[in-house]
Amino acid sequence: MMRAEVIGDPITQSKSPVIHGFWIAELGLDAEYRRMHVTPTGLASYIAQATSDPDWRGCNVTLPHKLAVMDLVGDPGGVRDSIGAMNTVLRGGDGTLTGTNTDAAGFYDPLHGLDLTDKPVVVVGAGGAARAVLFALARLGVGPATILNRNVLKAAALLSAFGLKGRALPLDAVLPPAALLVNASALGMVGHPPLDLDLAPLPADAVVYDLVYAPLETPLLMQAQVRGLDTVDGLEMLVGQAALAFELFFGVAPPRDEAREIRLRALLTA
Ligand code: NAP
């Protein structure tokens, strides 16, 4: 039986088994997707073991392994030098392991109808998720990018790493007008303070995208809805990145019609 899993420390919170399990059942695949607790000291032996198991198709990688795993697997797509973190490892037929990152494409998935060429954008955060977002935005040819972050120097380094023109500012800076505002920070997530921004400078056609999915309805999204702005929640990216990984693991794209998306979202928010 084909097998894939998600590894991390902790791992009980991961929603990936629900998403992949839903698609496996919908397709009637002879496959399973599990949750595996792998600690930092156990990562190398977990990866070594994976090369010898022909049923193991790959794994998703979550915190804290997204950087460390890059030293243990091949990188044919140059992910280390672009996004700088891996979230998916795949086993080839000959047992070789390669890594990739489906977060940037998962982030872009709900934005594909939006023309952001030369448009100003704002990203809050400068961690791993922000790297995937900025990679995607740079590829889209956005205009000036403003990064708001607690650590401003880290944000400035990201602007230059992704070849983006713009500014790095502290979290209490006044929001500039923008076509897209993305929260890629932990602010608004359960256990963290809310993201406190005045959205007044955003034009009426701006989109507000929050990567946080626990809770799904963040104070930022609620504030944007009150202003009548279009919003995108964190489940869109989570499901988008999972869909790409699923196809890489099992060789078949997951079925993603509207009725199934509604049922999947209901499962994920139950
Ligand atoms: P990370 O690498 O740890 O980065 C965390 C970011 O949040 C940094 O910019 C950090 O600022 C900021 N931050 C954390 N606590 C803060 C505080 N108390 N005050 C101000 N800033 C704070 O985490 P990540 O992997 O990028 O994840 C960030 C968020 O994105 C999380 O909520 C995660 O669940 C979400 N996410 C969602 C998806 C999805 O598919 N929807 C995928 C990946 C991540 P400093 O740089 O100053 O430390």
Side-chain angles (χ1 to χ4, degrees):
M1 183 197 283
M2 293 185 287
R3 187 161 59 77
E5 46 212 8
V6 56
I7 63 166
D9 179 24
I11 198 59
T12 46
Q13 81 294 347
S14 174
K15 292 184 184 289
S16 295
V18 175
I19 302 172
H20 288 265
F22 175 81
W23 289 327
I24 287 171
E26 288 293 307
L27 288 168
L29 283 187
D30 185 24
E32 68 173 343
Y33 186 100
R34 304 185 307 191
R35 180 185 271 123
M36 288 284 289
H37 182 216
V38 175
T39 62
T41 50
L43 183 63
S45 61
Y46 169 84
I47 291 290
Q49 211 178 333
T51 58
S52 61
D53 180 354
D55 291 335
W56 187 89
R57 296 305 170 97
C59 65
N60 285 123
V61 180
T62 188
L63 297 177
H65 305 313
K66 287 186 175 190
L67 299 184
V69 78
M70 291 192 291
D71 293 333
L72 302 171
V73 301
D75 182 18
V79 171
R80 181 192 284 270
D81 292 333
S82 55
I83 301 177
M86 288 177 176
N87 77 335
T88 306
V89 173
L90 302 165
R91 182 185 189 280
D94 59 357
T96 54
L97 300 187
T98 56
T100 187
N101 191 315
T102 64
D103 276 338
F107 162 74
Y108 171 68
D109 200 36
L111 296 179
H112 64 263
L114 197 66
D115 180 11
L116 289 170
T117 316
D118 296 328
K119 303 268 177 63
V121 295
V122 176
V123 175
V124 183
R131 294 188 69 95
V133 167
L134 292 164
F135 174 80
L137 292 177
R139 294 276 288 258
L140 290 174
V142 295
T146 303
I147 307 181
L148 304 180
N149 198 47
R150 179 174 58 182
N151 180 336
V152 179
L153 286 180
K154 197 167 141 192
L158 282 196
L159 278 178
S160 114
F162 291 100
L164 287 160
K165 292 193 166 49
R167 290 187 302 165
L169 299 171
L171 286 168
D172 59 2
V174 175
L175 197 65
L180 175 71
L181 165 67
V182 182
N183 176 32
S185 80
L187 294 171
M189 194 171 127
V190 65
H192 289 75
L195 175 57
D196 186 19
L197 288 178
D198 178 3
L199 303 186
L202 295 183
D205 60 352
V207 176
V208 177
Y209 192 155
D210 200 336
L211 268 51
V212 169
Y213 54 82
L216 200 53
E217 280 281 303
T218 60
L220 175 70
L221 291 186
M222 287 190 258
Q223 200 189 333
Q225 280 153 13
V226 167
R227 268 222 44 208
L229 303 176
D230 281 345
T231 58
V232 182
D233 68 38
L235 275 191
E236 301 266 0
M237 174 170 166
L238 193 71
V239 174
Q241 62 78 26
L244 294 162
F246 186 94
E247 189 166 356
L248 293 170
F249 294 145
F250 302 122
V252 51
R256 295 195 62 195
D257 54 72
E258 201 180 330
R260 284 191 172 96
E261 296 288 299
I262 290 168
R263 278 164 49 218
L264 177 56
R265 285 179 75 91
L267 277 178
L268 289 166
T269 50

